[in-house]
Amino acid sequence: MNATITVTILSSIGFFAGLMIYVASKVLPKEDESLAEAARVKEFLPGADCGACGYPGCFAYAQAVAHDKQVFAKTPCPILAQDKGGMKKLEDYLGLQAEVIVGKKAVVHCTGGSHSIVEYTGLQTCAAATQLASGFNECPYSCLALGDCVRVCPTGAMSIDQEHHVAVVDWETCIGCGLCVTACPQGLPELIPANTPQYVACNYQAKRDIPGRKRCPDGCIHCHICEKVSEEGAVTWDEKKDLPIFHVTQVDTAIEKCPRHVIRKTVAYEEKELEVVGSAQETG
Amino acid sequence: MNNLFVVFFSMALVNNMILAKFLGLCPFFGVSKKTKSAVSMGIAVLLVMLISSAVTWPIYYYILVPYGVEVMKTVIFILVIASLVQIIEMAIKRTNVTLYNALGIYLPLITTNCAVLGITFINVNQVYSFWEAVFAAGGAGSGFLLVLLIMSGIRERLEFSDTPKAFKGTPIAFITAMLLGLSFLAFKGMV
């Protein structure tokens, strides 16, 4: 008897609550047009909620676009900008052309050549490992390969090269959101323009030598040869870190002359031409 | 009439939801970083507390008690509060987009806020009359809003103060909460 009453009361209250929600959805005025429009725009977005566009999430970006279409034209979604088909669909829907932007990609400034000097058995995150004397590698500025960047990467572009113990970026899937840059306690990843043909794979900061620690056999020896053999302005020197900075100009001689072969080529080097993303025109 | 005010102030200050009963602690730390969002959350909780108390009181005394199934109060109260929040969210979404954007995620979060469920149980346990229950809910909601407001004000100023590095962020917030709780202890002598 008691069980019947219990079941009846619970199910009838549940039914009544459901009914009330249904009635409320019918009686209340229709959803505001801007929200409905934002929901339609969101259908075209990748839905990664990475925040690279400057808005807190895909829905907030969709709301901003629904409010003012020029938001999309001026700051296209960086993920969508790499997908020409998806870009075209949203451009057709909004009836405008987005500005051509050169996206950004992450690179890791480390070769992984530094070996461990102690056996680290603590918490397996880079953030924890760096709390103790800048990590367990001989080079205090090196990649610890414990994968803090891998865990934050929204697209899985980051991975650990198990052979060399270093984080590597897959430029095909990297969306340039910069989450790895903030996650890395060593400050190794950096966002560079997607048409930069080369970067230096070393982060050894010679002006901040730590006693008893040294750079790996692959590391930059700060000889400035890359700066000397390249044309004016192609390579600048980061005085603070004592490392070269490479720009869009391709520096073949510098790559050749580098005594440590620490200048790495990017995807843009092989393609030779500038990788322009965000354009609706089919470049072929 | 006098009794209603005693109930109101005792719920707001002496038996403060956050600092004396330790209910609703997640929004207390999660939403108290900015005054604006803290106030939105506080007002939303106040509203839901008032409505849910007014709805669950008749359900308890006119349905559950006569049939002798008071044990069901947990599941039924959760059911009622969850659907209420759904309806309120829908109403705000359809009528006022600005308010909907301002409240954002906080409205659905209230569904899982223990302070709302807590106040309905307190009403039942203290055997409050209908108006006492409503005033208790109003007091609890106002107390929640007050503490959230104070906490967010302190945390906003802490951002600019010279905190030791190890205490930056959440640790100093915990210490602030402790001091705030101690100061609210003084209200114990009031009622």
Side-chain angles (χ1 to χ4, degrees):
Chain A
M1 181 57 195
N2 210 355
T4 329
I5 291 174
T6 320
V7 171
T8 318
I9 289 177
L10 184 58
S11 47
S12 56
I13 286 182
F15 180 76
F16 186 71
L19 198 70
M20 286 306 290
I21 293 179
Y22 175 76
V23 171
S25 74
K26 285 286 162 200
V27 170
L28 286 168
K30 275 273 165 282
E31 206 166 278
D32 192 84
E33 189 48 35
S34 73
L35 272 183
E37 173 70 17
R40 280 196 291 276
V41 171
K42 193 180 177 294
E43 288 294 303
F44 293 98
L45 297 176
D49 286 331
C50 67
C53 54
Y55 290 88
C58 284
F59 191 73
Y61 181 69
Q63 273 188 317
V65 172
H67 181 68
D68 179 14
K69 284 180 183 177
Q70 292 306 315
V71 169
F72 175 70
K74 292 212 178 74
T75 53
C77 167
I79 303 183
L80 207 58
Q82 298 176 25
D83 169 21
K84 290 203 172 88
M87 195 74 177
K88 186 102 180 66
K89 272 186 206 153
L90 185 52
E91 278 176 340
D92 286 348
Y93 177 73
L94 296 171
L96 54 81
Q97 291 266 310
E99 263 175 44
V100 176
I101 56 158
V102 176
K104 289 207 163 187
K105 301 279 182 186
V107 290
V108 177
H109 290 295
C110 186
T111 56
S114 187
H115 59 273
S116 309
I117 44 173
V118 288
E119 194 181 336
Y120 177 72
T121 54
L123 195 60
Q124 294 294 306
T125 68
C126 309
T130 46
Q131 296 297 310
L132 198 66
S134 304
F136 46 78
N137 279 350
E138 176 140 50
C139 167
Y141 304 109
S142 65
C143 177
L144 300 171
L146 293 176
D148 279 14
C149 49
V150 177
R151 279 185 285 275
V152 294
C153 185
T155 60
M158 274 279 176
S159 58
I160 300 292
D161 182 344
Q162 292 299 346
E163 193 188 331
H164 297 105
H165 295 285
V166 66
V168 286
V169 189
D170 177 22
W171 271 32
E172 290 292 311
T173 39
C174 176
I175 55 173
C177 62
L179 289 177
C180 51
V181 177
T182 40
C184 180
Q186 301 283 63
L188 293 170
E190 190 197 4
L191 290 183
I192 61 171
N195 52 12
T196 316
Q198 67 276 310
Y199 67 98
V200 59
C202 183
N203 190 42
Y204 192 79
Q205 296 167 30
K207 289 185 178 163
R208 286 167 58 210
D209 268 332
I210 296 176
R213 311 288 284 271
K214 58 176 200 277
R215 73 173 74 81
C216 66
D218 298 344
C220 171
I221 53 168
H222 325 282
C223 63
H224 290 247
I225 188 123
C226 48
E227 195 186 8
K228 283 170 202 153
V229 299
S230 306
E231 56 189 274
E232 188 75 29
V235 180
T236 47
W237 204 261
D238 183 344
E239 290 299 336
K240 213 171 146 198
K241 284 190 169 181
D242 211 6
L243 287 170
I245 304 169
F246 296 97
H247 300 285
V248 183
T249 326
Q250 200 164 310
V251 286
D252 286 310
T253 15
I255 296 173
E256 227 167 84
K257 291 271 181 185
C258 179
R260 294 299 181 98
H261 304 291
V262 78
I263 308 169
R264 295 289 159 93
K265 295 167 185 172
T266 67
V267 175
Y269 181 90
E270 272 96 38
E271 289 182 2
K272 294 277 181 189
E273 63 184 46
L274 301 189
E275 171 67 6
V276 178
V277 288
S279 162
Q281 289 112 36
E282 289 294 331
T283 45
Chain B
M1 196 62 204
N2 202 8
N3 188 27
L4 293 181
F5 283 107
V6 172
V7 167
F8 183 90
F9 283 108
S10 86
M11 284 311 294
L13 299 172
V14 184
N15 295 321
N16 188 284
M17 270 293 165
I18 295 171
L19 297 174
K21 295 208 179 295
F22 308 119
L23 293 172
L25 291 178
C26 5
F28 178 52
F29 282 104
V31 198
S32 64
K33 273 196 183 136
K34 275 192 284 177
T35 307
K36 205 172 155 241
S37 53
V39 171
S40 320
M41 180 70 183
I43 291 174
V45 168
L46 173 62
L47 260 176
V48 175
M49 273 185 176
L50 275 176
I51 298 172
S52 59
S53 287
V55 172
T56 51
W57 193 90
I59 288 180
Y60 185 76
Y61 283 103
Y62 295 124
I63 299 174
L64 300 189
V65 172
Y67 289 102
V69 281
E70 289 96 334
V71 281
M72 298 276 290
K73 64 177 189 262
T74 312
V75 61
I76 285 181
F77 284 5
I78 288 174
L79 190 66
V80 169
I81 292 169
S83 45
L84 263 176
V85 174
Q86 285 292 315
I87 293 174
I88 293 171
E89 192 198 353
M90 206 188 289
I92 292 177
K93 193 177 179 182
R94 302 266 179 99
T95 49
N96 192 337
V97 179
T98 327
L99 185 63
Y100 176 73
N101 277 339
L103 288 176
I105 189 150
Y106 306 127
L107 216 48
L109 271 184
I110 297 170
T111 326
T112 51
N113 189 341
C114 47
V116 176
L117 190 64
I119 186 66
T120 58
F121 283 146
I122 289 168
N123 290 339
V124 167
N125 289 345
Q126 302 278 332
V127 205
Y128 282 147
S129 70
F130 179 73
W131 286 111
E132 277 173 345
V134 172
F135 269 76
S142 316
F144 188 88
L145 175 60
L146 178 73
V147 171
L148 233 60
L149 186 62
I150 295 174
M151 186 66 176
S152 62
I154 296 174
R155 280 184 86 172
E156 273 186 359
R157 289 188 173 211
L158 275 177
E159 290 281 307
F160 301 108
S161 59
D162 193 16
T163 325
K165 200 183 170 196
F167 284 105
K168 275 210 160 57
T170 318
I172 196 74
F174 279 125
I175 293 171
T176 315
M178 180 266 290
L179 293 173
L180 205 57
L182 270 180
S183 66
F184 265 68
L185 209 63
F187 287 119
K188 282 275 191 251
M190 213 175 80
V191 178

